[in-house]
């Protein structure tokens, strides 16, 4: 008998969660004008609280790709696309608080400064790319996909702490889940607050289920 790995529980084919954490039933995909591409680092291990698939299920125009590198945006998407018309959310070592006070979504120059033409950079975006993983995994994805540099780099301004609360310890205050980042980004870029509301409702359900399961585990153990 092997003790190296627990038998993998069957996961939901849509949200990739085990049954106690599956909250995807009843999600009605939103008609999003700006496409969403989530690139997930292959070693992203947060099977319980990861949000890549749950996020994508909320949109008609969204995809999750798992892997380290693609030769082009078109190959990652599986359809023709010009990276010049896409944006990539990548924080790196930028400190958003020092860029543009009061701004939620900030377009950067290649040197990591606030772009002088915010409106022009953000207005024509056809899609946004999110790098799903830890801070260092996102950094690896950024460097392993040089075509990302052709996209408009975006960071999110200082915002309230993640809904994860104490469930997850993030190294930086700016770190929020892929779902929360997408909620902020798309609701601002499309000027539709209901996008954020729908995503947050899904996320809150996941966190509730997670806490319930943790409580049940503790009760049954001791
Ligand atoms: Zn599910």
């Amino acid at each position: 008998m092997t003790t190296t790995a627990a038998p993998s529980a069957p996961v939901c084919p849509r949200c990739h969660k085990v049954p106690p954490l599956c909250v995807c039933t009843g999600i009605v995909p939103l008609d999003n004008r700006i496409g969403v591409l989530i690139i997930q680092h292959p070693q992203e291990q947060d099977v319980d609280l990861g949000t890549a698939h749950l996020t994508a299920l909320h949109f008609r125009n969204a995809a999750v790709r798992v892997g380290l590198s693609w030769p082009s945006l078109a190959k990652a998407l599986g359809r023709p696309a010009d990276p010049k018309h896409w944006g990539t959310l990548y924080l790196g070592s930028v400190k958003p608080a020092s860029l543009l006070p009061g701004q939620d979504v900030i377009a950067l120059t290649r040197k990591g400064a606030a772009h002088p033409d915010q409106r022009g950079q953000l207005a024509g975006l056809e899609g946004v790319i999110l790098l799903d993983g830890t801070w260092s995994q996102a950094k690896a994805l950024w460097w392993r996909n040089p075509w990302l540099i052709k996209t408009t780099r975006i960071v999110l301004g200082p915002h309230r702490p993640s809904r994860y609360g104490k469930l997850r310890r993030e190294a930086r205050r700016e770190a929020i889940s892929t779902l929360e980042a997408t909620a902020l980004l798309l609701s601002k870029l499309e000027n539709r607050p209901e996008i954020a509301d729908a995503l947050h409702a899904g996320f809150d359900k996941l966190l509730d289920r997670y806490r319930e399961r943790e409580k049940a585990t503790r009760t049954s153990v001791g």
Side-chain angles (χ1 to χ4, degrees):
M1 186 186 139
T2 175
T3 52
T4 49
S8 50
V11 297
C12 167
R14 280 165 33 96
C15 67
H16 297 220
K17 300 285 181 200
V18 291
L21 298 177
C22 165
V23 294
C24 73
T25 316
I27 291 176
V28 181
L30 295 153
D31 236 331
N32 52 317
R33 178 173 57 80
I34 297 171
V36 175
L37 171 63
I38 300 171
I39 298 182
Q40 186 178 64
H41 193 284
Q43 264 94 52
E44 155 65 3
Q45 290 292 320
D46 199 344
V47 287
D48 284 345
L49 290 176
T51 56
H53 293 279
L54 183 62
T55 302
L57 284 172
H58 281 84
F59 299 102
R60 279 195 207 287
N61 181 6
V64 180
R65 299 283 183 262
V66 182
L68 207 49
S69 72
W70 282 266
S72 65
L73 172 61
K75 285 271 193 290
L77 273 175
R79 62 178 166 84
D82 185 346
K84 284 206 285 290
H85 300 142
W86 281 64
T88 303
L89 191 69
Y90 177 60
L91 183 60
S93 52
V94 165
K95 304 259 184 303
S98 62
L99 291 173
L100 283 178
Q103 196 85 7
D104 289 325
V105 176
I106 304 166
L108 300 185
T109 63
R110 288 201 183 179
K111 288 186 172 164
H115 200 286
D117 181 16
Q118 289 293 315
R119 191 180 284 267
Q121 288 296 300
L122 298 173
L125 290 180
E126 290 171 9
V128 290
I129 299 161
L130 290 102
L131 308 176
D132 186 65
T134 62
W135 184 80
S136 62
Q137 287 170 345
K139 190 175 166 188
L141 289 171
W142 176 258
W143 291 110
R144 291 292 292 270
N145 293 276
W147 50 269
L148 286 174
I149 302 216
K150 296 181 201 160
T151 67
T152 298
R153 185 172 162 192
I154 298 170
V155 294
L156 300 177
H159 39 74
R160 59 199 198 83
S162 168
R163 283 166 187 254
Y164 279 134
K166 293 194 177 74
L167 295 180
R168 231 187 188 190
R169 280 204 197 95
E170 291 288 356
R172 299 181 65 185
R173 200 186 153 275
E174 295 92 332
I176 53 172
S177 63
T178 294
L179 181 142
E180 289 167 294
T182 310
L184 182 57
L185 201 49
L186 267 267
S187 60
K188 288 285 170 187
L189 292 176
E190 295 207 11
N191 197 16
R192 289 166 67 198
E194 71 269 25
I195 292 180
D197 295 342
L199 283 165
H200 289 154
F203 194 36
D204 286 344
K205 265 190 219 166
L206 172 66
L207 295 180
D208 282 349
R209 292 283 195 89
Y210 180 81
R211 291 190 187 98
E212 270 167 34
R213 195 188 64 168
E214 294 299 288
K215 215 159 90 185
T217 311
R218 275 199 303 274
T219 314
S220 66
V221 166

